[in-house]
Amino acid sequence: MKTAVAELAVLGGPPAFAEPLHVGRPNVGDREAILTGIGEALDERWLSNNGSKLEAFERRLSERLGGMHVVATCNATLGLQIAMRALGIQGEVVLPALTFVATAHAVAWEGLTPVFADVEPETLCLGATEAETRIGPETGALLGVHLWGRSGDVEGLSALARERGLPLLFDAAHTLGCERDGRPLAAFGDAAVLSFHATKIANSFEGGAIVTGDRELAERAATMRNFGFVDEDEIVGLGTNAKLSEAGAAMGLASLEAMDGFLAASRRNYAAYGEALAGIPGLTLLPFDPPESSNCHYVVVDVDADAGLDRDQLRAVLVAENVLARRYFYPGCHRVPPYDRRPQLPLPVTEHVLARCLSLPTGTAVTPADAAAVGDLIRLALYQPDAVCGALGE
Ligand SMILES: *Cc1c(COP(=O)(O)O)cnc(C)c1O
């Protein structure tokens, strides 16, 4: 063991990290490329509405996604809303409660009713078995979530959707750089929505993208993104404003150019965490589908009762050390307003995950040495649970 027990901050030592390590610190591509791109938009005096940066961003993203149609949006939440509208979804939408609240809010904001299903214990994603239990006469669509970039049961959900004649949409916010059987994860379903929010593996400051193999669906979505305009003064229906700015698109483009470096950094950190956390009783680093087909952008540990400290105690120790671990996506969509006021069916796997999982810092702002040091801290804290609990006042 590298560090002495007395060095834990909760036991009176200084914090292990002088500067905080954050979860979701933005990955930033080549600064020159970003500033040049924004400068070109200024020179062109074209700041939004299908400028050269947006076109280039959509083209590059489409290439990355094997030629899928891509409609970039100002964020993924509006991307999800537009995708649901363009698919003509009505009534209830079956989705997992184990997701960021945006997934449920997008459904509800469209006047649809979110119906929460449990996730599969193996994949932590919505599976066909769980989804089927929530399908009723009012069901209008299935909305899967590729939690932490995991593919889940895409085949089962696709078969179920086909059998029941329901559209299948995926919240693919976490999936850029993830593949399933050599195919980009965002290519599954009738449509999928990526996020380019600052905390995601690649960002456009704020941003999102609707991804689909259906050209007409993409055209409807692109029209809805711009107030329903199809021409200079022709409006064909209800639309909103969900356009991505040229500055955002320039940032997104630079992020796509830098993706190899972002992927390498997160995969290296994931491997370093794996080594540092190996063999700790009660602590499991969540495995990915083959790591080489995952972006490894979320490093999540499951803290079992046997670990000595519970998840929240471990988090308190890490925060004292300036390791700002997060409880993604606690407390779960079903436990926050307005959804908590509705009767809910039990979600045992979801509750289990929400009570035990902790996301650790990674990304290009974190080095493998940092990850190894965080692993050592976790080992140290769990090695002295009584002392730590005393210091935490428990
Ligand atoms: C980040 C995120 C969103 C929302 O993305 P925005 O681009 O911020 O709107 C939706 N779903 C999940 C699972 C997310 O993590």
Side-chain angles (χ1 to χ4, degrees):
M1 198 154 306
K2 277 196 254 172
T3 345
V5 172
E7 288 182 346
L8 278 180
V10 289
L11 300 181
F17 291 90
E19 296 293 325
L21 279 191
H22 294 269
V23 174
R25 206 85 203 269
N27 286 336
V28 177
D30 182 64
R31 182 182 291 251
E32 277 306 306
I34 297 164
L35 296 178
T36 302
I38 295 173
E40 285 166 0
L42 296 178
D43 290 342
E44 290 166 15
R45 302 242 168 186
W46 199 300
L47 306 185
S48 189
N49 291 64
N50 289 326
S52 63
K53 301 300 155 201
L54 185 86
E55 267 175 39
F57 176 58
E58 288 185 336
R59 193 173 348 103
R60 282 291 291 122
L61 184 56
S62 170
E63 282 164 16
R64 247 207 111 81
L65 300 174
M68 298 293 286
H69 300 286
V70 164
V71 179
T73 53
C74 58
N75 59 55
T77 307
L78 270 161
L80 283 167
Q81 288 178 229
I82 289 177
M84 286 186 272
R85 230 173 237 273
L87 283 164
I89 295 170
Q90 302 204 320
E92 296 178 353
V93 174
V94 177
L95 75 160
L98 184 60
T99 179
F100 182 53
V101 74
T103 323
H105 280 351
V107 172
W109 203 270
E110 283 303 304
L112 305 168
T113 305
V115 174
F116 296 117
D118 210 356
V119 292
E120 297 180 310
E122 309 80 27
T123 68
L124 309 186
C125 296
L126 179 66
T129 313
E130 292 74 14
E132 192 157 26
T133 64
R134 300 305 201 255
I135 295 178
E138 300 301 320
T139 306
L142 305 181
L143 170 51
V145 178
H146 296 302
L147 188 75
W148 300 323
R150 302 158 76 89
S151 65
D153 179 23
V154 284
E155 286 81 12
L157 276 182
S158 302
L160 177 65
R162 216 176 312 117
E163 191 183 298
R164 300 300 189 98
L166 294 169
L168 174 61
L169 179 64
F170 281 107
D171 179 334
H174 299 171
T175 70
L176 193 71
C178 300
E179 292 183 346
R180 165 88 174 216
D181 303 326
R183 203 174 152 207
L185 208 41
F188 289 85
D190 293 306
V193 179
L194 289 163
S195 173
F196 288 91
H197 180 253
T199 56
K200 306 304 200 262
I201 188 160
N203 79 85
S204 55
F205 299 121
E206 290 268 4
I210 302 165
V211 180
T212 178
D214 178 343
R215 190 168 56 81
E216 287 179 8
L217 180 67
E219 282 170 4
R220 282 201 299 284
T223 302
M224 288 176 175
R225 158 182 79 174
N226 185 27
F227 308 103
F229 279 105
V230 287
D231 210 339
E232 194 171 298
D233 44 21
E234 192 188 352
I235 293 166
V236 293
L238 183 64
T240 187
N241 182 0
K243 299 188 298 297
L244 180 65
S245 74
E246 287 296 283
M251 181 69 169
L253 205 48
S255 295
L256 293 182
E257 298 305 334
M259 259 311 269
D260 289 348
F262 297 165
L263 283 170
S266 49
R267 287 171 182 161
R268 265 198 308 270
N269 287 345
Y270 182 74
Y273 274 117
E275 241 171 76
L277 297 172
I280 301 181
L283 194 95
T284 313
L285 177 64
L286 289 198
F288 281 110
D289 317 332
E292 67 280 8
S293 68
S294 169
N295 63 22
C296 297
H297 185 60
Y298 295 85
V299 173
V300 183
V301 288
D302 176 295
V303 188
D304 192 70
D306 301 344
L309 298 177
D310 67 25
R311 186 268 313 268
D312 293 341
Q313 290 165 331
L314 179 59
R315 176 164 171 265
V317 173
L318 290 174
V319 168
E321 302 290 352
N322 260 339
V323 178
L324 308 186
R326 300 279 306 265
R327 298 183 293 181
Y328 284 157
F329 289 100
Y330 182 84
C333 295
H334 60 306
R335 294 204 178 273
V336 299
Y339 316 108
D340 60 345
R341 290 179 228 137
R342 301 179 188 163
Q344 304 288 347
L345 292 164
L347 303 169
V349 181
T350 300
E351 303 290 2
H352 181 90
V353 173
L354 289 170
R356 303 176 15 150
C357 281
L358 193 61
S359 290
L360 302 176
T362 184
T364 50
V366 175
T367 66
D370 293 333
V374 172
D376 286 347
L377 284 171
I378 291 174
R379 192 178 292 273
L380 200 58
L382 298 179
Y383 182 67
Q384 290 286 317
D386 294 338
V388 168
C389 284
L392 290 171
E394 300 193 15

